[in-house]
Amino acid sequence: MFLLALLLQSSQPAPESARPALPPLHGGPAEMTCPVGGERFSAWQPAMYSTYGERPDGKPYSYLPFPFPLPECPSNKLIVFGKFSTQETAALAQAIATPAYRQLIGAETSYYRAYWLSTKLGRPRRESLGLLLSAIWQVSPDAAEKAPSRAEDARRRRYQALLVREVQRLGPAVAPQDRALLQARAANAAREMGAFREAEALRVQAMASLAGLSDKRGWDGYLFRLDAVIARRDSSIEPLDMIPEQQAASICERARPSNAFDRAVCARVQSGAAKERPR
């Protein structure tokens, strides 16, 4: 199911040295049947794609926009975020008919609505909170985009605060690896909110969750880099030392660095880019 590839990037941060591949066939519209009501409609579905690293919040860099759009049934506005059992389909029919869900339509992003429905179904916390993480991507601008409005920024912070709160409430049944990666993403969310003490506490908790695992899948390196970003009280969405160098170089070209650390990183990556250009 393609959704799991979007949520937490297969539980492994992408290597910073990766390079983008030439775009293959991107995807296109496909006929679907709404699980509730049987309505037929067309929705965009991805085909093959590649990524070249990611932001600290897990949003991949790619020639395709992330997160991918979720199919939405035109009439009843059900967000189709996966395959559903017969019991789940019945539960979804009840959930989307409630005033609470109707209030979410137009007020919240599609991935937030998917998160809300996933929690109603009692799906695993990693899956539900992964949907919430993708909702954060929907309202978090990239460096190339215009600055968000006050309302958009408030919604991003509201989603981030919810992610932090829900991760802090994780029960003992959550697997250590799932717990570690959720704590890592929540630590980053708290950092972006400027809650640096909370961010560091979550980062330390994530390190403790990783301690007993033989396969850390790169999360120890991610948390090591996050330590430095928290320590210098950097709340940016794309800290230059936690994103691929080609992305950092692109950001440096578009905007003048605002502090000594960023000026030093920009000087280094731009010098490296200049050496790689053909003479």
Side-chain angles (χ1 to χ4, degrees), residues 243-264:
I243 60 177
E245 283 203 354
Q246 69 269 32
Q247 185 67 19
S250 177
I251 292 173
C252 292
E253 288 176 2
R254 290 194 299 268
R256 184 180 181 86
S258 61
N259 57 69
F261 180 86
D262 284 359
R263 285 193 291 273

Side-chain angles (χ1 to χ4, degrees), residues 32 36 47 69 127 151:
M32 296 186 62
V36 175
E127 181 177 340

Side-chain angles (χ1 to χ4, degrees), residues 59 89 99 156 260:
K59 181 178 178 179
T89 301
R156 175 174 69 93

Side-chain angles (χ1 to χ4, degrees), residues 55-86:
R55 300 188 320 197
D57 64 2
K59 181 178 178 179
Y61 292 111
S62 175
Y63 49 83
L64 289 181
F66 275 80
F68 292 152
L70 289 173
E72 179 179 358
C73 301
S75 297
N76 61 27
K77 304 302 181 183
L78 170 65
I79 300 295
V80 185
F81 58 92
K83 296 186 180 298
F84 309 116
S85 67
T86 302

